Amino acid sequence: MRSYRKELWFQTATRRELVHITPHIESALRESGIQEGLCLVNAMHITASVFINDNEPGLHADFEKWLERLAPEKPHSQYAHNGYEDNADAHLKRSVMGREVVIAVTEGKLDLGPWEAVFYGEFDGKRRKRVLVKIIGE
Amino acid sequence: MRSYRKELWFQTATRRELVHITPHIESALRESGIQEGLCLVNAMHITASVFINDNEPGLHADFEKWLERLAPEKPHSQYAHNGYEDNADAHLKRSVMGREVVIAVTEGKLDLGPWEAVFYGEFDGKRRKRVLVKIIGE
Amino acid sequence: MRSYRKELWFQTATRRELVHITPHIESALRESGIQEGLCLVNAMHITASVFINDNEPGLHADFEKWLERLAPEKPHSQYAHNGYEDNADAHLKRSVMGREVVIAVTEGKLDLGPWEAVFYGEFDGKRRKRVLVKIIGE
């Protein structure tokens, strides 16, 4: 069994942003040389998400509106977590979108459906934060 | 290390439907011959879900009502994604329910709790769509 | 490839409770002797969750309030599942929070970000329930 590890760093310009990272994961997989296995991609921060969905700007606008409806940022005072913080909503939003994805690796490629694209979902950005890629297999 | 891959195809009669797929995953595992490892089961489409919950029709009716409350299908015009599409709600519903499950494989069996059952959650059906089963182990 | 399996048992004093279980997972990993691989941690019950978030009591109070807003427990009669049961809300809450986490194992340690902590999320407690830890690797 072989294993491979890589950190990807992101700093978004805005508090919330969805960043398309499929090409980064494909690069990592090529570097690993692994042909058959599983690829874990997870946010290493608890106010961010890694998820798979459509690479379509209209949908991303819908996500922003929808997540603000389910877990609004403001008023900050509505959350007990926001004594010294202002990011409780980011913890909740990330719970909806998920921390991680596990992707099959088949014949040296990410085994994704035709419209599956991997995203880093930032909900408390404007600072450097990390995503972990861990691949195991042969 | 051994690996095994199988696609399961589904076409539901209605737009939204929950399909019990545990027996399909058990068959795939037997075919793989793998005794110890991990089994990834994921929707290959971004308007569908694979999740684990109770195989109980009342609960499935509750899911339908609840997901429609969290991310209503209509009016279609409420979503920016729905310029040429009408399925933005399906992308959101699938985000709540999740893309994938990872199941332990122990002594050649799916290592599930007594009431755990695996479901394909279709939120934009009436066409052929796929689920991926990838098993690695020994 | 090596594999390791352990069950962790919990009985909470209240219906809903978030239990910090990172130390239990770290112990399991040490017992496994595995240095590089993947660690799956999942609830074996469908009214409970395993998730990663902040070990901060204010946030946990926010989760309780937020999940009650998204999927209220009462009135029990609002759910079709609650013919002989009263826990439909627990099935829904667990869907939001997720069944499982997959954690990278690197150099014999859980490869977690600085604030990542693993929780057992109980939404229908006061009885003995299980979490499964399965680790594969080398």
Side-chain angles (χ1 to χ4, degrees), chain A residues 46-64:
Chain A
I46 51 193
T47 51
S49 174
V50 170
F51 66 94
I52 286 178
N53 218 304
D54 203 352
N55 191 9
E56 197 279 304
L59 183 68
H60 295 189
D62 293 329
F63 271 126
E64 163 64 18

Side-chain angles (χ1 to χ4, degrees), chain B residues 51-69:
Chain B
F51 66 93
I52 286 179
N53 218 305
D54 202 353
N55 191 9
E56 196 279 304
L59 184 67
H60 296 188
D62 292 328
F63 272 126
E64 164 64 18
K65 194 174 153 190
W66 181 64
L67 289 170
E68 267 293 280
R69 184 161 64 76

Side-chain angles (χ1 to χ4, degrees), chain C residues 59-132:
Chain C
L59 183 68
H60 296 187
D62 292 329
F63 272 126
E64 164 64 20
K65 193 173 154 189
W66 180 63
L67 289 169
E68 267 295 280
R69 184 161 64 77
L70 294 185
E73 179 192 338
K74 295 178 181 171
H76 292 150
S77 61
Q78 75 190 292
Y79 299 111
H81 181 62
N82 286 346
Y84 300 90
E85 307 270 0
D86 67 1
N87 63 4
D89 70 299
H91 290 274
L92 306 183
K93 287 174 171 110
R94 107 72 166 248
S95 300
V96 174
M97 298 305 288
R99 166 191 180 257
E100 78 214 8
V101 296
V102 178
I103 305 168
V105 174
T106 303
E107 297 179 358
K109 300 220 163 127
L110 297 177
D111 200 339
L112 294 170
W115 299 101
E116 286 194 293
V118 189
F119 288 91
Y120 174 63
E122 176 63 86
F123 305 114
D124 183 31
K126 299 197 268 187
R127 51 197 174 97
R128 276 167 56 76
K129 292 164 78 174
R130 281 179 292 165
V131 164
L132 180 64

Side-chain angles (χ1 to χ4, degrees), chain A residues 88-99:
Chain A
D89 69 299
H91 290 274
L92 306 183
K93 287 175 170 108
R94 111 69 169 251
S95 300
V96 174
M97 298 305 288
R99 166 192 181 254

Side-chain angles (χ1 to χ4, degrees), chain A residues 40 42 99-100 102 132 134 136, chain B residues 38 102, chain C residues 21-22 25-26 29 36-42 50-52 100-106 109-113 116-119 133-136:
Chain A
L40 167 69
N42 69 266
R99 166 192 181 254
E100 79 213 8
V102 178
L132 179 64
K134 183 92 183 190
I136 70 167
Chain B
L38 294 177
V102 178
Chain C
I21 62 172
T22 314
I25 315 300
E26 288 170 336
L29 179 53
E36 297 290 328
L38 293 177
C39 174
L40 167 69
V41 188
N42 69 266
V50 170
F51 66 94
I52 286 178
E100 78 214 8
V101 296
V102 178
I103 305 168
V105 174
T106 303
K109 300 220 163 127
L110 297 177
D111 200 339
L112 294 170
E116 286 194 293
V118 189
F119 288 91
V133 182
K134 184 90 182 188
I135 310 171
I136 70 168

Side-chain angles (χ1 to χ4, degrees), chain A residues 36 38 52-54 56 58-59 62-63 65-66 69 96 101-106 111 113-116 137-138, chain B residues 1 3 5 40 43-44 46 70-72 78-81 88 91-92 94-96 99-100 102 130 132 134 136:
Chain A
E36 296 290 328
L38 293 177
I52 286 178
N53 218 304
D54 203 352
E56 197 279 304
L59 183 68
D62 293 329
F63 271 126
K65 195 174 152 189
W66 181 64
R69 185 163 63 78
V96 174
V101 296
V102 178
I103 306 168
V105 174
T106 303
D111 201 338
W115 300 101
E116 285 195 294
E138 274 187 352
Chain B
M1 199 205 78
S3 71
R5 178 191 194 275
L40 167 69
M44 297 188 79
I46 52 192
L70 294 185
Q78 75 190 292
Y79 299 111
H81 181 63
H91 290 273
L92 304 183
R94 108 72 166 249
S95 300
V96 174
R99 167 191 180 253
E100 80 213 9
V102 178
R130 281 178 292 167
L132 179 63
K134 183 92 183 188
I136 70 168

Side-chain angles (χ1 to χ4, degrees), chain B residues 20-33:
Chain B
H20 181 217
I21 62 172
T22 314
H24 298 282
I25 315 299
E26 287 169 338
S27 294
L29 178 55
R30 277 193 297 274
E31 285 168 30
S32 77

